Amino acid sequence: MLYHVLGILSAVLFILTWLGLWAQIRRIHLHRQSNVQGTQSLSLNQFGSSFFAFYANFMFGIAVEPFNHYLVWTRCGALLLTLVILWRIWQERRTSTTFLTLLVSGLALCGGFISMGYRPFPAFAQIGANGLMLVVTAILIQGTAHQWLILRRYGEIGALSFGLFRSILIKDVSTLLFGLTMPLSQSWPLLVLNGASVIMRGSVLLQMELLKRKKA
């Protein structure tokens, strides 16, 4: 019972992440209308790692038995919105790195949808999903650290959205609580990934707040 209660709560709160990602897309659009770079201060590293953090949760939800609807469909929406942000970054910068990040992200998402037709996964696929979450945790830590360094180096918030980082923090805390309702042997990768996200995203949000006060 507690599993479903916290699962529903986590899913409802995750809608804030959708809204945060949409606010980030709108902020990029507004920056472009102001004749400045729409993706100013946005780290490709940060948003690429965010995509794969969502993706790891997405694949974890597909791999476990039973199929975890609370994780899969909420992350599906976040993946699509983050893909739009990556496309906007590529559209402005047109580098091989931005194109490769966009291409790999798009192919990974297609692969995730295809994998739904082959579940439940055998045991080695579950191990693979756990391994993916640990790799993505490392990618997320360095990607978010890169965003923090960009903010500190240039002293500009640019097109970064406060709403996005606040909503992601709320999402991560609710996902941590949801993970605690599962057996630890199954949920530990989820707890590691989202715990790291709370710490790293929180540090970026704190840096943004400090820059905002400094400019005031």
Side-chain angles (χ1 to χ4, degrees):
M1 180 64 180
L2 183 61
Y3 169 86
H4 290 293
V5 169
L6 288 178
I8 292 169
L9 177 63
S10 175
V12 170
L13 289 175
F14 200 91
I15 293 173
L16 295 175
T17 300
W18 291 359
L19 295 174
L21 288 164
W22 180 249
Q24 181 64 78
I25 293 168
R26 280 185 51 82
R27 192 167 172 85
I28 292 170
H29 178 68
L30 291 172
H31 257 62
R32 292 183 71 178
Q33 285 188 327
S34 303
N35 295 320
V36 294
Q37 188 182 38
T39 58
Q40 181 190 12
S41 295
L42 268 67
S43 166
L44 174 67
N45 205 335
Q46 150 69 17
F47 284 94
S49 63
S50 291
F51 178 91
F52 284 101
F54 291 135
Y55 186 75
N57 283 272
F58 176 71
M59 291 304 298
F60 179 84
I62 293 172
V64 295
E65 184 62 36
F67 185 93
N68 195 315
H69 293 277
Y70 304 118
L71 289 176
V72 172
W73 302 119
T74 51
R75 272 61 182 182
C76 180
L79 286 167
L80 293 171
L81 289 167
T82 307
L83 205 58
V84 172
I85 295 172
L86 292 174
W87 176 67
R88 289 291 193 186
I89 292 174
W90 168 77
Q91 195 178 41
E92 280 200 346
R93 303 179 190 178
R94 300 279 179 170
T95 64
S96 57
T97 305
T98 56
F99 175 73
L100 185 61
T101 303
L102 179 63
L103 178 64
V104 171
S105 299
L107 290 175
L109 184 55
C110 290
F113 286 133
I114 292 170
S115 76
M116 289 184 189
Y118 297 92
R119 66 172 314 280
F121 293 165
F124 75 86
Q126 179 60 53
I127 294 171
N130 290 347
L132 173 64
M133 293 191 81
L134 292 178
V135 170
V136 169
T137 299
I139 294 172
L140 176 69
I141 289 171
Q142 66 82 31
T144 312
H146 184 251
Q147 181 67 77
W148 185 87
L149 287 171
I150 286 177
L151 288 169
R152 188 168 178 81
R153 183 180 304 150
Y154 297 108
E156 291 286 344
I157 296 172
L160 274 179
S161 167
F162 277 94
L164 172 61
F165 282 89
R166 287 177 185 137
S167 63
I168 287 177
L169 277 174
I170 293 171
K171 175 269 299 181
D172 286 333
V173 171
S174 67
T175 304
L176 280 173
L177 293 174
F178 180 43
L180 291 172
T181 67
M182 306 177 199
L184 187 60
S185 60
Q186 182 185 74
S187 67
W188 67 265
L190 191 70
L191 300 176
V192 170
L193 174 58
N194 287 277
S197 182
V198 167
I199 295 168
M200 298 307 296
R201 261 63 176 272
S203 67
V204 170
L205 184 58
L206 179 60
Q207 184 64 28
M208 291 170 70
E209 291 285 357
L210 290 173
L211 288 175
K212 182 181 177 182
R213 292 178 185 180
K214 192 175 180 180
K215 294 288 184 182

